Amino acid sequence: MIRYPSSDAGWNFDNSYVRLPEFFYSRVKPTPVAAPRLVVLNARLAEELGLNAEVLKSEEGVQVLAGNRFPDGAALIAQAYAGHQFGHFTRLGDGRAILLGEQLTPEGERFDIQYKGSGRTPYSRGGDGRAALGPMLREYIISEAMHALGIPTTRSLAVVTTGEEIIRETLLPGAILIRVATSHLRVGTFQYAAAFGSVDELRALADYALDRHFPGLEADHRYLGLLREVILRQASLVAKWQLVGFVHGVMNTDNMTISGETIDYGPCAFMDAYDPATVFSSIDIHGRYAYGNQPRIAAWNLARFAEALLPLIHENEERAVELAQEEVSRFPDLFRREWLAGMRSKLGLAGEEAEDETLIDDLLSIMYKHKADWTNTFLALTFNREETLPMHGTPEFLEWLGRWKERLGRQRESEEQVRKRMRNHNPAVIPRNHRVEEALEAAEKGDPDVLHRLLDVLSKPFAHTPDQEEYAEPSPYSCEYRTFCGT
Ligand code: AMP
Ligand code: MG
């Protein structure tokens, strides 16, 4: 392995992606920006990556974070991909993202370090290659909150403003996010290879993904194994989303990773009142990516992944389809199993009983009927605060509470053990929409304190400390809340 001399900041790149055929990327440099300024730096993540936060904060460090200068050994490529966007197949690529390099950490792990908002690339199509401060900070807040919640996700190392304005509906401050991921391989990367490349290129990509993410997979049927592993990871990921009420908002196949990390925080948000039809994205008119549809859409996307892999799965196309179909068909069960296990934990249940599914489904029906807040319902159950819930005192909820308590009574566990399980599975705080907006507004006006306090509160979602309580209030404008793509 080639190791580059590391600078003071600790950059230590080894760029495996550029060893793939050139068909998969374009060499392109970030467009220099006028006056970079650091808005937020993730010191803990920097340390995990083997980077020196103090050096990153220095003038030289910020020039690197802004894409004006590069450490030795930088990759500087935009990755090509394709994808189904709202069901329609399109050729895409990093339109405003450039890979700085793959950082090898002191622990020997490999992470993509990527600029988002760093200027045009050959894949920009009509776009300006830029990003605004608000959406980049939003990605920073929500991705880091997801990480703290224990949900696989890309991370955020830093946000810098560029000192330039960008044109959206109004003029907005331009910014760059430094995104960190175990890779940026997407379902759409495979679709790109399958649609526009040769079988050799497709195989090179699959081998690369296997090496990078599933090095332990046996030699026989390894491409079917790749499909199986990605299905497993996505079933687990989407179950975790559902358990915290996360709505991704734009589950296009180019926004679904091979690693099983959540990626692309565009029009995403956390649901307040429980409603499977919850949609935040302003352009998702038909609710394709609504909360309740996410498992089904994940399965649909994985079917597209399976299609892309067909030439590698078996030389006989019919047999390949059969084998791939079998794997994809397992998704609903895999998802349901993960989700049920998570819901049992949220309700403090140990072991499995036949009536658990009914118990869970009945609670959901009551929550839906009374527009109960997703997060706070489980918190109320955890801390015996049922009287705070909108369904409090109704016969159906009393009956349900009785059944739940009976079920808990059959566990040979202390009340404290049950509560502990519930505390560990029911977050005290999620990034509530109004809190996120408040932090973004303050940061845009040059006051970073609101943002830092929010980040701090969100970094310990299972601490259940008194200072988190004011952050648990549902958003006053949850129903009309809309988020925007093309940010
Ligand atoms: P997204 O909806 O964020 O997944 O973006 C879809 C595609 O559009 C991706 O390939 C992005 O890189 C690209 N894109 C989004 N915004 C811009 C922009 N401002 N300039 C160029 N490309 C963009
Ligand atoms: Mg995307």
Side-chain angles (χ1 to χ4, degrees), residues 201-437:
E201 281 158 337
L202 178 65
R203 189 177 298 108
L205 180 68
D207 287 339
Y208 179 83
L210 280 161
D211 277 356
R212 194 158 172 182
H213 294 294
F214 311 99
L217 273 192
E218 73 219 56
D220 288 352
H221 306 295
R222 52 203 307 261
Y223 304 114
L224 197 63
L226 173 63
L227 174 60
R228 184 176 305 146
E229 292 298 322
V230 174
I231 289 173
L232 266 174
R233 287 196 185 185
Q234 287 294 337
S236 161
L237 177 68
V238 178
K240 289 189 166 98
W241 290 357
Q242 301 304 95
L243 292 168
V244 296
F246 175 75
V247 183
H248 182 283
V250 59
M251 285 178 72
N252 294 331
T253 55
D254 51 299
N255 292 337
M256 183 182 254
T257 58
I258 299 307
S259 66
E261 286 168 350
T262 311
I263 194 172
D264 226 325
Y265 293 86
C268 63
F270 282 72
M271 172 173 72
D272 292 303
Y274 170 60
D275 182 352
T278 303
V279 168
F280 294 106
S281 170
S282 59
I283 61 166
D284 193 1
I285 299 152
H286 303 293
R288 178 180 170 93
Y289 299 139
Y291 172 77
N293 272 350
Q294 295 189 125
R296 227 169 308 151
I297 289 293
W300 191 89
N301 288 349
L302 290 163
R304 306 289 79 75
F305 181 49
E307 278 168 8
L309 288 176
L310 285 179
L312 305 180
I313 287 176
H314 203 281
E315 62 215 3
N316 177 320
E317 199 186 323
E318 245 173 75
R319 183 69 190 131
V321 170
E322 242 172 55
L323 290 167
Q325 185 64 63
E326 206 176 300
E327 297 301 330
V328 174
S329 311
R330 293 171 56 205
F331 181 90
D333 267 356
L334 291 169
F335 166 79
R336 182 86 184 163
R337 211 180 308 157
E338 290 273 339
W339 181 82
L340 268 178
M343 286 300 285
R344 282 196 176 97
S345 300
K346 285 174 85 67
L347 291 173
L349 308 184
E352 294 178 14
E353 287 191 12
E355 288 88 55
D356 290 349
E357 295 204 39
T358 320
L359 185 74
I360 292 164
D361 290 339
D362 290 350
L363 174 64
L364 296 185
S365 304
I366 297 170
M367 287 169 67
Y368 175 65
K369 183 172 161 195
H370 295 275
K371 301 187 169 40
D373 183 83
W374 177 264
T375 306
N376 290 354
T377 297
F378 293 100
L379 280 178
L381 294 175
T382 304
F383 294 102
N384 288 319
R385 294 193 304 241
E386 287 87 355
E387 73 284 355
T388 60
L389 296 173
M391 57 277 214
H392 174 65
T394 63
E396 68 234 30
F397 189 51
L398 280 172
E399 187 275 338
W400 184 88
L401 280 172
R403 255 195 295 155
W404 175 53
K405 285 178 182 162
E406 260 174 47
R407 168 69 170 85
L408 288 175
R410 288 196 290 277
Q411 291 171 203
R412 278 192 227 109
E413 280 185 321
S414 67
E415 162 126 14
E416 186 42 35
Q417 280 172 304
V418 170
R419 299 293 159 192
K420 190 170 168 210
R421 181 175 302 117
M422 293 181 75
R423 277 199 305 274
N424 290 338
H425 288 89
N426 294 312
V429 279
I430 48 156
R432 297 273 181 188
N433 302 320
H434 62 301
R435 289 292 186 180
V436 174
E437 294 300 327

